[in-house]
Amino acid sequence: FLLNTTCASFVNALEPLGLSEKNLATLKEWSTSRSVSLRFSSEETCKFLHKRERVNKQSSSVSDLISPRGFVNRFVTKSVITKVMEYTHQIDVSYTLAAFCGNKPDEPIILTKGTGTTTITSTNEDPPAPDFKVYGPLDVNITWLLQQLDDSF
């Protein structure tokens, strides 16, 4: 019972990541004669977009206080101007989660893939990430898990 529950939870965790019933059947068929692995890979790029100078100005104020003797006391608040350099970078990320049979990672079933972009603005001139970085591939062998599943999955 505990083994079936564990296997079901792993399959349920893979469903939101793109594992369909058709793909599960294919992977299960592969596992009868070959090993089956999941592969995660990702790429990240960072490029400089622009530099701009921003001026922060704190407002000044003048207030008058009239004393009981009729004298005017003037209070002056001076403004402070701060110049800040801002550097904007764009970070693009792409990722893929795929399954492959045996030693054929070039013939995968793509479970999911996606891309994302964000911009980061900071006062630091250095880029927030390397110009280009590859993560992975990270492989996980799921043959044993697939072999434990009966036909009801």
Side-chain angles (χ1 to χ4, degrees), residues 11 13 15 20 34 44 48 51 89 104 112 125 129 147:
V11 171
E15 284 178 0
S20 65
R34 302 291 304 268
E44 181 180 287
F48 177 75
K51 171 173 92 170
H89 293 83
K104 299 180 182 178
T112 188
E125 188 174 1
Q147 290 172 344

Side-chain angles (χ1 to χ4, degrees), residues 64-104:
D64 293 332
L65 176 67
I66 301 174
S67 67
R69 295 188 182 143
F71 295 106
V72 176
N73 293 328
R74 182 159 282 184
F75 296 95
V76 177
T77 304
K78 297 183 179 182
S79 63
V80 176
I81 297 174
T82 306
K83 293 181 180 180
V84 178
M85 293 302 294
E86 292 182 334
Y87 303 89
T88 303
H89 293 83
Q90 178 176 314
I91 296 179
D92 298 310
V93 177
S94 64
Y95 65 90
T96 303
L97 179 64
F100 65 93
C101 176
N103 58 354
K104 299 180 182 178

Side-chain angles (χ1 to χ4, degrees), residues 1-151:
F1 173 76
L2 190 56
L3 177 64
N4 289 340
T5 304
T6 303
C7 292
S9 69
F10 280 120
V11 171
N12 286 338
L14 291 174
E15 284 178 0
L17 298 175
L19 182 65
S20 65
E21 288 183 35
K22 178 183 173 188
N23 289 342
L24 180 59
T26 302
L27 300 180
K28 198 166 162 11
E29 181 183 328
W30 286 354
S31 72
T32 60
S33 61
R34 302 291 304 268
S35 65
V36 179
S37 297
L38 292 179
R39 172 169 283 181
F40 176 80
S41 58
S42 178
E43 292 181 356
E44 181 180 287
T45 60
C46 178
K47 67 179 178 180
F48 177 75
L49 293 179
H50 58 81
K51 171 173 92 170
R52 75 176 182 125
E53 183 177 78
R54 183 172 46 93
V55 177
N56 288 341
K57 182 178 179 184
Q58 295 177 348
S59 62
S60 63
S61 64
V62 177
S63 58
D64 293 332
L65 176 67
I66 301 174
S67 67
R69 295 188 182 143
F71 295 106
V72 176
N73 293 328
R74 182 159 282 184
F75 296 95
V76 177
T77 304
K78 297 183 179 182
S79 63
V80 176
I81 297 174
T82 306
K83 293 181 180 180
V84 178
M85 293 302 294
E86 292 182 334
Y87 303 89
T88 303
H89 293 83
Q90 178 176 314
I91 296 179
D92 298 310
V93 177
S94 64
Y95 65 90
T96 303
L97 179 64
F100 65 93
C101 176
N103 58 354
K104 299 180 182 178
D106 297 334
E107 301 173 19
I109 294 177
I110 304 296
L111 300 179
T112 188
K113 63 181 179 177
T115 60
T117 300
T118 189
T119 56
I120 296 177
T121 302
S122 70
T123 57
N124 188 349
E125 188 174 1
D126 297 329
D131 289 342
F132 182 75
K133 185 162 184 178
V134 175
Y135 297 94
L138 303 172
D139 294 345
V140 176
N141 188 318
I142 60 168
T143 307
W144 180 85
L145 171 67
L146 295 168
Q147 290 172 344
Q148 304 311 308
L149 301 178
D150 59 21
D151 292 335

